[in-house]
Amino acid sequence: MRRLLLLVLAATVLEFAAFRYLHRDLFSIDAPAAAQAPVADTRQQAEAALARPYLSRHHAEALVAATDRQGLIDLHVAALARLVRDNPGDVSVMLRYADGLRRQGRLDEAARVFARVAEAP
């Protein structure tokens, strides 16, 4: 029984370490120190995160905040587009996406998204 518990503990620690290593870019962009990260680092981490097939809502929101804070409007809008794609019924995300499109100068697209927000229940 003792060996089994040690094996389970070792497997859990190994899985946690592997998860942290594989997703280190997501954890670093969500850290408080990311507020002082150079813009080039934030851009690189954001592009890597957006290229992932799965991005949790928490990490996508952290990505939105980091790109907005750094003034990376193209990646900010891309992160918001990802949130809209993953959460199609969330009106607040659609509204933020429409505002991001407006800030980027994509006014026709922004108008279409604003219209979808207005039609939402």
Side-chain angles (χ1 to χ4, degrees), residues 9 31 61 99:
L9 179 64
E61 290 287 358
D99 186 53

Side-chain angles (χ1 to χ4, degrees), residues 9-30:
L9 179 64
T12 303
V13 168
L14 183 62
E15 183 177 348
F16 177 77
F19 180 82
R20 290 290 297 201
Y21 178 76
L22 290 173
H23 301 289
R24 64 191 176 280
D25 56 339
L26 297 176
F27 286 108
S28 65
I29 205 157
D30 196 19

Side-chain angles (χ1 to χ4, degrees), residues 10 13 17 42-43 59 64 66 70-71 74 82 85 96 99 109:
V13 168
T42 303
R43 176 174 288 285
H59 288 114
V64 167
Q70 296 282 1
D74 58 328
R82 178 76 176 261
R85 186 192 79 194
R96 290 173 23 209
D99 186 53
E109 292 175 72

Side-chain angles (χ1 to χ4, degrees), residues 47-89:
E47 288 171 347
L50 288 171
R52 292 174 175 271
Y54 174 76
L55 189 62
S56 72
R57 172 84 185 243
H58 174 80
H59 288 114
E61 290 287 358
L63 188 60
V64 167
T67 54
D68 188 36
R69 181 177 54 242
Q70 296 282 1
L72 300 169
I73 191 69
D74 58 328
L75 292 173
H76 179 72
V77 171
L80 285 167
R82 178 76 176 261
L83 272 172
V84 168
R85 186 192 79 194
D86 294 345
N87 304 284

Side-chain angles (χ1 to χ4, degrees), residues 97-109:
Y97 176 54
D99 186 53
L101 288 169
R102 180 195 58 79
R103 287 175 41 208
Q104 195 178 24
R106 297 164 57 184
L107 301 179
D108 291 339
E109 292 175 72

